[in-house]
Amino acid sequence: MIEILHKDLLARIARFNTKSGVVHTPTFIPVVHPTRELIPPRKMFQEFNCQIIITNAYLLSKAKCEGKIHDILDFPGSIMTDSGAYQLLTYGDVQITPTQIIRFQEEIETDIAVILDIPTGGNATYSEAEFTVEETLKRANDLFLKRSESKILWVGPIQGGTYPNLVEKSARIISQLGFSIYAIGSPTQLMEQYQFNKLVELVLAAKRHLPSNKPVHLFGAGHPLIFPLIVALGCDMFDSAAYALFARHDRILSPEGTYRLADIQDGFCNCATCSRYTVSEMKKLEKNMRVQVLAEHNLRVCQDEISRIKLAIREGRLWRMVESRLASHPALVDAMYSLQSYRPFFEKFSPVTKKRALYITSPWSLYQPEVYRHKKRMERFSPPEPERTTLLLFSAPQNGPYHLAKEYIRFQSQYQALKTESSEPFDTVFVSSIFGLVPTEITNLYPLAQNLVPQSDLFEIDSVIIEQLGGYLARLQRYTRIIGIFGKSSKWQSFTRKCRRLLSKLGRDFRLFTTDFSKASLKSIVSKSFLER
Ligand SMILES: [Zn+2]
């Protein structure tokens, strides 16, 4: 169903066919009002590179529109129609039955159609939410009895709102029904209230149970500042009316946030629309014209953001893009924070290797699946034969490859010069503030050697690494002697203290040095009896 070309995090660059053409994802789908459009759909197709638009089938049927949807809207690309569920959520009632809206969407020959689901909304009680899930599933089942043969791609809506177990149930059951596309419902209120952490929960509860070969749509995605996040969560397509809604209120969009037209000055934007008018000219336009011009600018901002997201996916840098948007709103930080709990899921779907180095620029970078993957790998890692009883822990430099670090090379050359036949061989594990324990055998694996970390001492060696070391030594009881050679900075001094406490507690023999070790101290490591104090 969907042909996947590139992947990063849960995002994918992919394509699928509708009867009117190819849809390239991820894609933003502009909402077009069926009778009061701001930008002519043909212009959207020709000048704004919109391959797909969405309109409301319920409003069209109420307006007694007839004929083919592509003629009504004058749009040559793919058209998705919504069923009136949004009106149901807003007004509590619609004057159409589920069967009538199926029939109507078939008559107008839409490309992608939605059943008349019951949206849960953000404020539903548990039992209300349960009802919306059950009723939507019943209507989803009915579709397959009632639809006529056609080439329409039907969308299976997932409900459950802010109750993850209901969302999971809804996704699990509907994914068995053979819809062409799955859509996650009810995010609008969460978006309006900036509850992006709940949005993460909602999307991932659904995603975990959906087949990976079908596109996933998110209803009502709002502002472009959250586009990178929702694509990273695996939403292939999402509709948004923000470009028009904000324009009607004299608001101008940017990927980082929204500005009032009154507050901006000439030179704000150089897009094709803004190069036709200066900001001062825009402010003087009569209302309708001004709204249209602002809508055009806003639409370009949304489309440009999608292009940047696609580039980030191809380059394997989507995490960086999501991270770079955090400064736009504190609620995005909450969303990022909530991603912690989903690291195993992200890790499962993220590519094992990438052509670009892993960037570590903030504490959020440590949540990346690559970092998590390494720590999981270490839970199973067994050092190669022969089994040794001495373990050397060496502080890793900021950037890899660790075995090429200046201090480590100095240690190696002095050790080689001093060692004798009776010297005990040992295994080596680097201690990194980013990745934790890194055995010397795997320092070349991605991204252990392919990463860029700031030189400043931004990252503490946290207690998680001491815990990891404790687990490693508990699993590998044979390491009865531990040599630690750590940096001199205060963070390494603090680590050395914690390490000493741990090793005493575990009852292991140990010697801890700093990287400016003297020849004499090295001699004591080399001599077999170094621990016989
Ligand atoms: Zn512009």
Side-chain angles (χ1 to χ4, degrees), residues 358 371 374-375 402 432-438 447-448 451 468:
L358 188 78
V371 177
H374 171 71
K375 289 185 178 167
Y402 300 147
S432 149
S433 48
I434 307 301
F435 295 101
L437 305 183
V438 179
L448 301 167
N451 58 74
Q468 190 194 16

Side-chain angles (χ1 to χ4, degrees), residues 225-244:
L225 73 84
I226 66 151
F227 289 2
L229 175 68
I230 58 183
V231 173
L233 297 176
C235 299
D236 302 298
M237 43 203 267
F238 40 88
D239 59 285
S240 172
Y243 76 99

Side-chain angles (χ1 to χ4, degrees), residues 19 61 65-70 72 99-110 148 150 152 154:
K19 63 184 169 53
S61 79
C65 287
E66 283 177 4
K68 293 181 186 172
I69 187 76
H70 294 81
I72 301 171
T99 312
Q100 283 170 329
I101 198 74
I102 292 172
R103 217 44 87 224
F104 182 74
Q105 291 181 93
E106 285 178 341
E107 280 162 21
I108 61 174
E109 297 185 25
T110 188
S148 318
S150 79
I152 292 176
W154 280 95

Side-chain angles (χ1 to χ4, degrees), residues 269-271 273-274 297:
C269 172
N270 294 313
C271 79
T273 301
C274 295
H297 159 89

Side-chain angles (χ1 to χ4, degrees), residues 100-296:
Q100 283 170 329
I101 198 74
I102 292 172
R103 217 44 87 224
F104 182 74
Q105 291 181 93
E106 285 178 341
E107 280 162 21
I108 61 174
E109 297 185 25
T110 188
D111 295 303
I112 301 174
V114 186
I115 60 164
L116 185 63
D117 55 327
I118 313 279
T120 312
N123 303 320
T125 64
Y126 189 85
S127 60
E128 284 165 352
E130 205 167 23
F131 167 78
T132 63
V133 168
E134 296 302 334
E135 186 60 24
T136 298
L137 285 172
K138 186 177 151 295
R139 293 178 181 195
N141 264 306
D142 283 354
L143 169 78
F144 295 95
L145 306 171
K146 288 175 182 163
R147 69 169 176 181
S148 318
E149 277 309 309
S150 79
K151 291 179 182 151
I152 292 176
L153 303 179
W154 280 95
V155 175
I158 294 148
Q159 295 300 344
T162 53
Y163 303 101
N165 64 324
L166 290 181
V167 175
E168 289 194 28
K169 179 186 172 187
S170 177
R172 211 172 41 240
I173 299 176
I174 210 160
S175 67
Q176 309 295 318
L177 297 184
F179 281 94
S180 304
I181 295 169
Y182 292 97
I184 304 170
S186 304
T188 316
Q189 279 154 311
L190 298 180
M191 303 252 199
E192 284 168 359
Q193 295 159 8
Y194 284 75
Q195 297 193 53
F196 300 145
N197 51 346
K198 293 232 169 102
L199 178 73
V200 167
E201 223 173 54
L202 165 68
V203 172
L204 294 181
K207 273 294 285 188
R208 272 189 290 198
H209 298 281
L210 295 176
S212 57
N213 62 345
K214 301 275 175 80
V216 173
H217 181 86
L218 181 70
F219 278 123
H223 198 285
L225 73 84
I226 66 151
F227 289 2
L229 175 68
I230 58 183
V231 173
L233 297 176
C235 299
D236 302 298
M237 43 203 267
F238 40 88
D239 59 285
S240 172
Y243 76 99
L245 297 176
F246 282 88
R248 287 188 204 282
H249 294 98
D250 278 339
R251 302 266 165 159
I252 188 155
L253 298 183
S254 84
E256 296 82 26
T258 312
Y259 298 87
R260 293 189 322 165
L261 180 61
D263 293 339
I264 60 164
Q265 307 298 326
D266 288 346
F268 175 80
C269 172
N270 294 313
C271 79
T273 301
C274 295
S275 51
R276 290 209 312 272
Y277 302 91
T278 65
V279 173
S280 335
E281 283 166 353
M282 244 184 241
K283 288 175 182 172
K284 286 181 200 139
L285 291 172
E286 62 85 24
K287 175 78 181 176
N288 285 347
M289 187 61 187
R290 194 170 68 238
V291 169
Q292 196 190 324
V293 168
L294 286 178
E296 286 193 10

